[in-house]
Amino acid sequence: MQAHRQTQPNNELTFKRAANSTLVVRLAGDWHLRHGLPSSDLVAKQLDTDPRPAKLTFDAADLRDWDSGLLTFLIGVSELCHKRKLPADWSPLPEGVRSLIQLAEAVPEKTGARAEVSHTSFIEELGHEAISYAKGLDDFLRFVGEVAISFARLAVGKARFRRVDLMIVIQDCGASAFGIVTLVTFLVGIILAFEGAVQLQQFGASIFVADLVGISMTRDMGAMMTAIIMAGRTGAAFAAQLGSMKVTQEIDALTTMGVSPLEFLVLPRVLALFLMIPLLCIYADCLGVAGGAFVSATMLHIPLGMYLRETKAAVTLTDIFGGVFKAAVYGIIIAVAGCLRGFQCGNSSSAVGDAATEAVVTGIVYVIVACGIFAFIFNVLGI
């Protein structure tokens, strides 16, 4: 019989070779995570040492206190035995340890449950991310197509959803969002006016602050700031709501009953945001102009009437309707992104939070991309 010893401050791991080619793993002392535990790789070395053992057993006579660290070690030993098709005798271990090991072996480990260290190069990771973004865009466009089909069914009166749900979402997307839209857009108007005033005062052209704020808010900033607010507020809410319904299998229940989840759940949300964001955009434009007027009156001492007349002369209906049109498109993007991430949500509670985060990121990124595309198109058309 040969013995090999591996000790830690509070535990001891010893290997013995019995005459019948059995490897005896002796466990002694206190096996606690806080004290540091031996690795199962030590057992692997003994299993691969010639002559290789025909069986593995344990000696736990001197084993005292233990916690999950011992179980982790033993499960690692169990995996080594399974890989080598080596029989193991667990009977010498305490009854509680044996029961927990049997439970761990009875429930198979989920694929991907363990974090794996990536050894890919930067170029490979960049390629994987590019493919991932391309696939995400493909999924988004497919979902947009399905939503368009639902709108076509709505146009011919065949879409199935509850009108009361539409009214509830409209209230949530509209009246309930007035507070945050008021605060943010008023402050944006103040910031634009202040930054412009600092520069324009040098040339004695302070009155043109009204032009700067009015055109900026109506053409782009009003629609974009409203969209970003709604992406963080409403888009995340859509993803969380639909994600929770997927976790609780309510979406599956609708499908089982023959009701299209896309029409029943997604259509009211997209329609509500499509209708309400243009109204919020107009409201945001007014608040932005009010913020500019506040700075002009307090810092530049420009009378309110003069400021409003300059704003009226600078801002055209094309600017206003262009911003409203952008806001309507942004509303569709935000609603589709939120609902898509909700439908893609996993089946755990943490996945709901991840879906909400992804909805906000996707909505804001696509809104900014759409804003850039609109800027190019409007410039080409001379609008």
Side-chain angles (χ1 to χ4, degrees), residues 190-215:
I190 288 177
I191 293 169
L192 286 174
F194 180 78
E195 294 295 333
V198 172
Q199 300 300 321
L200 293 173
Q201 273 185 317
Q202 301 177 18
F203 306 99
S206 300
I207 188 60
F208 291 110
V209 168
D211 300 56
L212 171 66
V213 175
I215 294 174

Side-chain angles (χ1 to χ4, degrees), residues 12 15 29 42 67 105 115 125 140-141 157 178 180 222 224 242 269 275 288 322 338-339 362 366:
E12 182 178 339
F15 302 100
L42 300 172
D67 60 11
E105 292 182 341
E125 291 182 0
F140 182 83
L141 294 177
F178 269 15
I180 185 65
M224 179 179 290
L242 298 183
R269 289 169 168 80
L275 294 175
C339 294
T362 303
Y366 286 175

Side-chain angles (χ1 to χ4, degrees), residues 326-347:
K326 292 178 183 179
V329 176
Y330 297 161
I332 294 176
I333 291 174
I334 294 166
V336 170
C339 294
L340 173 62
R341 296 310 181 191
F343 272 68
Q344 292 177 337
C345 177
N347 294 321

Side-chain angles (χ1 to χ4, degrees), residues 100-173:
L100 291 173
I101 291 176
Q102 290 174 359
L103 179 62
E105 292 182 341
V107 181
E109 183 177 297
K110 290 184 178 181
T111 303
R114 299 189 182 188
E116 296 183 358
V117 180
S118 175
H119 298 287
T120 57
S121 65
F122 173 76
I123 301 299
E124 288 178 297
E125 291 182 0
L126 185 62
H128 289 313
E129 289 297 325
I131 293 173
S132 176
Y133 278 114
K135 185 178 182 301
L137 179 60
D138 180 67
D139 293 339
F140 182 83
L141 294 177
R142 287 177 184 271
F143 199 74
V144 169
E146 294 175 356
V147 171
I149 294 173
S150 298
F151 268 96
R153 290 178 58 82
L154 175 64
V156 297
K158 293 184 178 180
R160 298 174 62 184
F161 65 92
R162 298 190 304 176
R163 302 304 186 267
V164 65
D165 290 342
L166 176 60
M167 294 298 106
I168 291 173
V169 180
I170 284 177
Q171 180 180 356
D172 182 65
C173 296

